[in-house]
Every structure is written in C-alpha cells, then in structure tokens.
Amino acid sequence: MTEFEGRSALVTGAASGIGAATARWLDARGIGRLVLVDRDEAALGALDLRAQVRCVVGDVAEEALWDDIEQSETTLHHAVLNAGVADGCPIATLDFAEWRRILSVNLDGMFLSLRSALRLMTQDEDTVGRSAVLTSSVAGIKPVAMTAAYGSSKAAVAHLSRIAAAEYASQGIRINAVAPGRVDTPIWTKNAHFQQMVEDLGSREAALEKLAEDSTPLGRFASAEEMAGQIGFLLSDAAWNVTGTVLVSDGGYSL
C-alpha cells in the first residue's frame, strides 16, 4: 500500500470519473505529490486526498497551461493522461467545429500532456520505473457507428501511446494505454440518451442494466474504481515488463 510513497503523479481529467478514481487510488497507496488537471475547479477542490496536491484548472489543449506546469514542476514519476470529451452523430451531419472540438481535447490535449509529462520524467538521470497510462477507448479499437470524431481521436491516442513506448523504452520509461468499454462515469451518464433512458425505465440503475445487457457480454458496466485499479497496475512496478500495450477492458464488447 506504500509502493508509490515519495513519488509524484500527474492526472488529467481528474475532477470526476476514471481520473478522480485514479487520483484516489494513488493517494491510498502513498503517492507523495499529485498534479491534478481539469476544467472543473470546484470538483477538483472537493477531492479529499492526503497527498500534497496541486490543482491546475484549465483546458488540456492549451499549450500555455503545459508550459506553466513544465516550468513549475521539477520532476515526475507517473502520468495518467485521461482528459477527454465525447459526442456522436452520423458523419454526414457532423459539424466541422464539433469535429475540431473533440479532436482538440482528445488528441491535441493528449499530445501536449504527454509531451510535458515526458519532459518532466526525463529531467532526472534515473528514469527507470517511471510510467504513463493514456486513456483510449474501445471505440478506438472497434468501429462504432456515430463516433467518427471520438473514435478516430481515441484510435490515435492508442497509437500515440505505442509510439511513445518505442521511443522511451531504452530509458526505462513505460507507456501503455487503456481502452475502456462502457464505464459508469459522467461521460456516459450525463448524455441526453442516458437521461432519457433513466426517465423511461424509472431509475439510473435500470438504465445502466439495460445498456449493459444490450452491449456488454459480461453483462454490466465497469466502475471507475475498477478502471483505476487496472491503470494503477500498469503504472506500478508489478507491470515492469509491460510497455506499448493497449489494455482493452470492455466486458467483451469488442468480441
């Protein structure tokens, strides 16, 4: 439970869902310092963590935000690059501004955050044991209708993680990605389709059950905490021999 003691970690999209769960997971295992990035200042401030915490409020696709983090942080051991947005419609009706919005956060923001994380990780001579996990999606692995922008951005994230792994393996820095399927997080439960299902079926739990039955062979959504545990494993020394992997965690959806 103290494996991460004295280490530092960056978590983006840290105010809710998988990001918040991973910040709590690391905190429970003794992480010394957390740099948490999100646009939701109130939710970041509400996280009750024991570690030394720096909250950075802003858009991950803004280069100036990352310039500031690079200039003010001295080292970094781990990174969980999780910030993302989702939406969907047929390609023929997809507005170009919406395409750019999703790719800006999911891909431009991922590039900027990964670049800064790697620069900070390599400021020390001893980089062995340092690791990063990028959040992709099963929509980046399996073609899913009406996810042109989201799925394309997440496919790029998966490949970006493999390229980074190839570049930094010789320095002992491991880089992997996770590709979740349906997870009980706001990116799913705040959309209009889910809210309509809640209204039609009478409860949030019934809506989650119905979605899982319709799309997930294992029959349920994952929790954010379960995804945090899988990310934590990839960050940890127990996964010392794992790099360049995209861990698909989708309950069988991609089969």
Side-chain angles (χ1 to χ4, degrees):
M1 296 296 287
T2 59
E3 176 182 342
F4 294 88
E5 187 173 334
R7 301 185 188 182
S8 58
L10 165 71
V11 183
T12 68
S16 64
I18 293 171
T22 304
R24 290 191 293 266
W25 190 95
L26 288 165
D27 191 59
R29 284 153 184 81
I31 196 76
R33 178 172 172 79
L34 285 166
V35 180
L36 306 179
V37 181
D38 203 286
R39 292 181 296 186
D40 191 337
E41 183 174 9
L44 279 180
L47 292 172
D48 184 16
L49 304 173
R50 296 174 299 177
Q52 181 187 56
V53 175
R54 176 189 177 188
C55 294
V56 179
V57 179
D59 186 341
V60 293
E62 292 292 335
E63 189 172 17
L65 178 145
W66 294 106
D67 289 342
D68 177 65
I69 289 175
E70 284 185 46
Q71 291 166 12
S72 53
E73 296 297 319
T74 58
T75 190
L76 187 68
H77 297 91
H78 306 287
V80 180
L81 307 180
N82 168 73
V85 293
D87 206 349
C89 68
I91 293 171
T93 59
L94 178 59
D95 186 77
F96 183 62
E98 179 66 359
W99 167 273
R100 284 301 318 144
R101 181 186 75 87
I102 292 174
L103 265 72
S104 175
V105 176
N106 292 1
L107 187 53
D108 296 346
M110 186 62 75
F111 161 71
L112 289 169
S113 56
L114 178 60
R115 185 179 70 174
S116 290
L118 290 168
R119 286 173 175 175
L120 288 169
M121 285 181 185
T122 53
Q123 285 190 164
D124 296 337
E125 290 186 8
D126 183 9
T127 57
V128 174
R130 308 207 174 194
S131 58
V133 177
L134 285 58
T135 301
S136 178
S137 169
V138 69
I141 306 296
K142 175 181 178 176
V144 180
M146 297 195 296
T147 67
Y150 180 75
S152 296
S153 69
K154 291 300 188 176
V157 166
H159 200 55
L160 179 63
S161 72
R162 291 187 287 254
I163 292 169
E167 289 184 4
Y168 285 88
S170 64
Q171 297 182 52
I173 298 174
R174 297 182 303 100
I175 300 155
N176 294 287
V178 291
R182 293 187 166 181
V183 183
D184 184 2
T185 64
I187 204 167
W188 277 101
T189 59
K190 284 188 175 181
N191 68 52
H193 174 65
F194 184 81
Q195 294 301 321
Q196 185 61 53
M197 288 188 69
V198 171
E199 185 175 333
D200 293 344
L201 296 173
S203 73
R204 182 178 182 280
E205 290 69 26
L208 286 171
E209 280 187 25
K210 176 62 175 171
L211 280 173
E213 287 172 4
D214 290 348
S215 64
T216 306
L218 287 182
R220 70 173 179 87
F221 272 39
S223 69
E225 289 71 24
E226 287 170 330
M227 289 307 308
Q230 293 169 28
I231 291 169
F233 164 71
L234 290 173
L235 291 175
S236 74
D237 295 341
W240 72 269
N241 200 38
V242 181
T243 195
T245 290
V246 179
L247 173 62
V248 178
S249 178
D250 66 352
Y253 174 73
S254 57
L255 294 174

